[in-house]
């Protein structure tokens, strides 16, 4: 095994394990098929839009970059939007429950 292929394998292993660690933190579990599909999409984009051919390693590195640096922004925005939606639903439920209350007839002495 030459030095280039050893370095490439070590980088792939490090990149993959780093992305797995980040995946656990964000609770995203992508199947190998999904990751491969995403890498192919990245490669297709570079080929069609930039007339550049990139390999699997470059595609995976870009995917890891997106996962680590860009995806968390979308994830956090999704969380914020979900919180607002749930708060609105809870308010509606509270209004619905309050509408079920029966009037009290208090006797005065």
């Amino acid at each position: 095994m030459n030095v280039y292929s050893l370095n490439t394998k070590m980088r792939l292993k490090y990149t993959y394990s780093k992305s797995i660690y980040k995946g656990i933190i964000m609770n995203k579990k992508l199947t190998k098929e999904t990751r491969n599909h995403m890498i192919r999409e990245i490669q297709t984009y570079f080929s069609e839009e930039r007339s550049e051919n990139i390999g699997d390693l470059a595609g995976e590195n870009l995917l890891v970059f997106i996962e680590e640096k860009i995806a968390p922004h979308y994830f956090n925005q999704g969380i914020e939007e979900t919180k607002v939606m749930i708060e609105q639903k809870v308010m509606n439920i509270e209004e619905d429950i309050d509408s079920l209350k029966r009037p009290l007839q208090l006797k005065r002495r």
Side-chain angles (χ1 to χ4, degrees), residues 1-61:
M1 180 178 296
N2 64 29
V3 175
Y4 174 75
S5 63
L6 180 62
N7 284 339
T8 302
K9 284 187 177 192
M10 288 172 58
R11 267 188 303 184
L12 271 175
K13 185 175 182 181
Y14 172 75
T15 300
Y16 185 71
S17 64
K18 191 174 176 185
S19 68
I20 291 298
Y21 173 72
K22 292 288 185 182
I24 291 170
I25 290 175
M26 290 184 58
N27 291 326
K28 62 179 191 263
K29 296 177 183 176
L30 300 175
T31 64
K32 186 173 183 176
E33 293 80 23
T34 301
R35 289 188 67 76
N36 288 338
H37 175 74
M38 294 169 83
I39 291 168
R40 284 193 308 275
E41 290 291 329
I42 291 169
Q43 290 170 321
T44 300
Y45 172 81
F46 270 81
S47 176
E48 292 176 358
E49 299 296 325
R50 300 177 54 108
S51 299
E52 296 177 38
N53 292 323
I54 63 170
D56 292 343
L57 179 60
E60 172 132 18
N61 285 341

